[in-house]
Amino acid sequence: ASAAGSQEVAQAQAVFGQQLEAKEAEVAELRSQLEAAATQSEQAQTSLQQLHEAKAEADAKITEQQAESERLSLEAEGLKKQLEDQMAASAAGSQEVAQAQAVFGQQLEAKEAEVAELRSQLEAAATQSEQAQTSLQQLHEAKAEADEKREYLTAETERLSSEAEGLKSRLNSSSFPV
């Protein structure tokens, strides 16, 4: 009877040993997944910081371009006023007035072209800022998902470690009938 009991204990220890190995392998896999999730979270955080910086640069550029556009608009208005004043000062269409009109007209056209170019750049910067905001939102969502996965994997790892410890203690205890 003692030999049969010893054989049963040996079989039970072998079964518990296999279960323990399976649990330890599962814990190792979950730890690996947890490390991968942490790496993804760090990468998302870095990308998020880069997007914050790019958005801040785009916003600063937009503000700068708005100020420059306003300055050029005011300058163009001043040139327009000068042209109107000179035209009013001359009773007849003298050659000087015609030349002045041509010069001011060219200056005005150049300033209007500058304003149009700045407005175009301003629109492009605004579009870039919107795209950065969208990417920022997507990264926030991806980071939240990675954080949730990390929390789940941490809890699962703790649960499986605890279960593995329980199996170890049951395997090592002498509670088997002999």
Side-chain angles (χ1 to χ4, degrees):
S2 176
S6 293
Q7 188 176 7
E8 285 179 22
V9 168
Q11 288 174 348
Q13 285 179 334
V15 167
F16 278 122
Q18 290 172 350
Q19 289 176 346
L20 182 61
E21 286 176 14
K23 290 298 177 183
E24 287 175 345
E26 192 174 347
V27 166
E29 174 61 27
L30 285 172
R31 283 197 177 123
S32 173
Q33 289 176 7
L34 181 61
E35 289 172 8
T39 300
Q40 287 176 344
S41 180
E42 288 173 12
Q43 290 171 344
Q45 188 65 32
T46 299
S47 296
L48 189 63
Q49 180 62 33
Q50 290 170 347
L51 276 175
H52 276 297
E53 291 168 5
K55 185 179 184 309
E57 286 178 26
D59 289 345
K61 188 173 183 179
I62 287 171
T63 302
E64 179 184 313
Q65 288 177 343
Q66 285 174 333
E68 181 65 10
S69 176
E70 189 172 319
R71 185 191 67 77
L72 288 173
S73 290
L74 290 173
E75 192 175 324
E77 285 298 317
L79 287 172
K80 207 183 257 186
K81 176 79 170 110
Q82 285 179 357
L83 181 59
E84 290 170 357
D85 290 348
Q86 285 221 351
M87 287 173 53
S90 175
S94 70
Q95 190 173 359
E96 281 183 31
V97 171
Q99 288 174 347
Q101 286 177 339
V103 168
F104 282 121
Q106 290 170 351
Q107 290 176 345
L108 183 60
E109 286 177 16
K111 292 300 176 183
E112 286 175 349
E114 281 183 58
V115 168
E117 175 62 26
L118 280 172
R119 284 191 177 137
S120 173
Q121 290 176 4
L122 183 63
E123 289 175 12
T127 300
Q128 185 181 17
S129 178
E130 288 174 16
Q131 290 170 345
Q133 187 65 33
T134 301
S135 296
L136 192 61
Q137 180 63 32
Q138 290 170 347
L139 275 175
H140 277 299
E141 292 169 5
K143 184 181 181 302
E145 284 181 30
D147 288 345
E148 286 177 19
K149 186 175 183 181
R150 182 175 35 85
E151 288 174 16
Y152 166 76
L153 290 174
T154 299
E156 189 64 12
T157 300
E158 289 175 10
R159 184 188 67 77
L160 287 172
S161 292
S162 175
E163 196 174 306
E165 286 301 317
L167 285 173
K168 277 184 187 177
S169 71
R170 284 179 59 196
L171 181 62
N172 291 333
S173 72
S174 60
S175 62
F176 295 106
V178 180

